[in-house]
Amino acid sequence: MSKAKVYFTKEITPESLIKIYHALGRSLKGNVAVKISTGEPGGHNYLKPYLIKGLVDELGGTIVECNTAYEGRRNTASEHWKAIKEHGFLDIAKVDIMDEDGDFAIPVRNCRRISENYVGNHLKNYDSMLMLSHFKGHMMGGFGGALKNMSIGVASSRGKAYIHGAGVPEDIWTADHDSFLESMADADKSVVDYMGSENLLYINVANRLSVDCDCDAHPHEPEMADIGIFASTDPVAIDQACYDAVKNSPDPGKAALIERMDSRNAIHTVETAAWHGIGVREYEIISID
């Protein structure tokens, strides 16, 4: 099987974000969704509006999100809209909370754990999507990148609980851990099948590398330096490349993030997504610096 191409730049600027998108050599067409995390209020590591504005403008895109499934300031649309405004996203682009008007189920073919995935109703309105992800650690998943953004991120509030609980929403925080990781990969498979792989692109910004996710209102400060921006047409390869970049970094501050990733068996989501055939773990890095 041929290797996937993963483009990389050390420069993290609005201009380099646009440049790496163009390096992919594929344009997103029609009504374009830009899936980000709007960030839990109190946290400060989410991708900032100034960084992403130029690329969102170029795509003519709509920033999209879904409500959360935990107590906080984004678990209802009314509170989520307040957070979106406070974090400055309404100042730079159209924004859509995709499950504000409910959700619908899309099937998972050849599933490992969940046979359907609940996504925001407004997903029906988009022809293509950029998964614009902040790569960092995560309390449960080990790390969050393209695969988490496409699974948990695109899932409705109900869908998030369904994935976390490996099909049993009531088990949201107590389900078997690897079953949760496999459910994320199942959800990824469903979104790729629904949207069409040709209508999806992936960019991971590896900065502010906290061990905690942007869903955490009180994240730990990063212990390692920023790495750069990665981009690919392959969601498996881009997350594998980011994971490897942390592992292979000469920065001694990487230890905390490696412990977070490996103690949660984070790579198992990548393994299961590769098993689903939505990408490959073998890649070549193409520097655009």
Side-chain angles (χ1 to χ4, degrees):
M1 187 176 292
S2 60
K3 295 181 179 180
K5 292 183 172 68
V6 177
Y7 296 88
F8 174 73
T9 177
K10 292 179 181 178
E11 186 178 2
I12 304 176
T13 64
E15 295 75 20
S16 62
L17 199 56
I18 294 171
K19 183 178 179 181
I20 206 166
Y21 166 74
H22 285 295
L24 291 170
R26 182 196 294 173
S27 296
L28 294 172
K29 303 280 185 12
N31 197 13
V32 180
V34 180
K35 176 65 188 70
I36 65 165
S37 169
T38 49
E40 189 66 27
H44 47 271
N45 294 327
Y46 58 88
L47 298 180
K48 298 301 188 291
Y50 81 88
L51 178 64
I52 70 173
K53 180 183 186 302
L55 180 55
V56 176
D57 284 348
E58 175 143 338
L59 294 171
T62 300
I63 292 171
V64 301
E65 256 279 45
C66 283
N67 292 320
T68 62
Y70 55 84
E71 289 190 9
R73 290 208 35 224
R74 296 187 300 146
N75 65 347
T76 64
S78 60
E79 287 300 303
H80 199 164
W81 278 120
K82 293 176 186 177
I84 289 167
K85 182 176 182 179
E86 288 171 14
H87 287 173
F89 293 109
L90 289 178
D91 296 330
I92 67 161
K94 296 177 293 182
V95 182
D96 181 10
I97 299 176
M98 291 194 293
D99 63 337
E100 186 170 19
D101 299 315
D103 60 17
F104 69 105
I106 55 177
V108 181
R109 293 186 291 193
N110 196 26
C111 68
R112 290 285 287 270
R113 296 293 171 182
I114 56 173
S115 60
E116 57 187 3
N117 177 29
Y118 296 95
V119 297
N121 260 337
H122 297 177
L123 184 63
K124 300 171 183 175
N125 299 334
Y126 299 98
D127 304 298
S128 60
M129 184 177 290
L130 172 65
M131 297 294 165
L132 182 52
S133 310
H134 175 214
F135 186 87
K136 69 288 177 189
H138 189 272
M139 177 61 74
M140 293 188 71
F143 70 73
L147 292 170
K148 179 180 178 292
N149 198 12
M150 187 160 60
S151 56
I152 294 291
V154 173
S156 65
S157 180
R158 173 171 67 148
K160 288 175 171 63
Y162 193 77
I163 293 168
H164 267 283
V168 183
E170 296 75 19
D171 293 346
I172 181 171
W173 309 126
T174 59
D176 172 72
H177 187 70
D178 279 359
S179 296
F180 155 58
L181 300 177
E182 291 168 7
S183 295
M184 280 204 291
D186 282 348
D188 287 318
K189 167 68 171 168
S190 73
V191 174
V192 171
D193 287 347
Y194 179 82
M195 295 294 296
S197 59
E198 70 279 6
N199 297 315
L200 292 161
L201 292 175
Y202 309 90
I203 297 177
N204 285 359
V205 181
N207 71 339
R208 298 292 302 170
L209 288 155
S210 170
V211 299
D212 293 319
C213 181
D214 299 338
C215 58
D216 193 322
H218 305 285
H220 281 75
E221 282 297 300
E223 295 185 34
M224 68 179 297
D226 297 348
I227 296 174
I229 303 176
F230 299 76
S232 185
T233 61
D234 185 313
V236 175
I238 193 172
D239 276 5
Q240 181 74 58
C242 289
Y243 173 86
D244 291 344
V246 173
K247 287 275 187 135
N248 297 328
S249 171
D251 187 338
K254 69 182 181 180
L257 183 51
I258 290 173
E259 191 281 332
R260 174 58 56 88
M261 296 192 302
D262 288 354
S263 65
R264 272 65 168 182
N265 196 23
I267 202 63
H268 190 51
T269 307
V270 176
E271 294 169 342
T272 309
W275 175 86
H276 269 302
I278 63 172
V280 298
R281 298 179 67 186
E282 297 74 29
Y283 61 90
E284 58 175 321
I285 292 287
I286 301 170
S287 177
I288 65 165
D289 287 327

